[in-house]
Amino acid sequence: MENGLMGLNRRKFTREFKEAAVRRLELGASMAEAARACEVNPNILHRWRRELREFGAKAFSGPGRNRADENRIAELERKVGQQVVEIDFLRGCLQHVEEQRRLQALTTRNSSTHTSKSK
């Protein structure tokens, strides 16, 4: 997969989200429970816990995105997908109407030409 495309599908989480997820582990939640609650892979939680232990306040320095942003992006992507389907359908309808119009024009022209020759 092209390197630039991989980043487009990757979810990003805020520092606060990552810290809260690790806090669940510290409060006694199992790795599986915390991963399910946060909707992330347990391996991600392992990494976040390790980074927080190693770097403390300097951990998770990237900007991240919160869940609301992700939901909004997913909603907009669904809308764009629906619009693509609608546009394709309407293009098909327009093509059909154009074909019918051309066929009618040919039929009308041929019948008027045929009538004038018989006179």
Side-chain angles (χ1 to χ4, degrees):
M1 189 178 269
E2 185 178 314
N3 192 19
L5 294 178
M6 266 179 84
L8 294 177
N9 295 327
R10 181 177 258 176
R11 294 188 301 170
K12 295 180 183 178
F13 300 95
T14 63
R15 174 186 179 84
E16 293 77 19
F17 181 87
K18 293 174 183 179
E19 287 175 346
V22 172
R23 205 171 310 117
R24 282 179 183 265
L25 296 172
E26 292 169 353
L27 294 174
S30 73
M31 188 63 68
E33 290 169 337
R36 265 194 307 276
C38 297
E39 298 180 10
V40 297
N41 186 300
N43 293 329
I44 300 290
L45 280 181
H46 278 293
R47 182 166 33 98
W48 291 350
R49 182 171 58 182
R50 185 182 66 245
E51 287 178 23
L52 197 55
R53 285 179 180 163
E54 287 180 23
F55 303 109
K58 293 183 180 181
F60 320 129
S61 60
R65 269 199 317 236
N66 65 29
R67 180 68 69 174
D69 290 344
E70 287 181 33
N71 290 340
R72 181 69 178 143
I73 289 168
E75 177 188 343
L76 292 172
E77 287 173 343
R78 280 190 297 274
K79 282 184 178 183
V80 167
Q82 182 62 37
Q83 287 175 341
V84 166
V85 170
E86 291 171 1
I87 288 168
D88 287 345
F89 172 76
L90 292 172
R91 276 190 181 134
C93 290
L94 181 60
Q95 184 178 0
H96 177 73
V97 167
E98 286 293 320
E99 288 170 0
Q100 292 299 316
R101 187 186 60 76
R102 283 190 212 115
L103 184 61
Q104 187 177 16
L106 284 174
T107 306
T108 305
R109 188 171 51 197
N110 286 341
S111 65
S112 66
T113 306
H114 181 67
T115 308
S116 61
K117 284 183 180 178
S118 358
K119 286 185 177 178

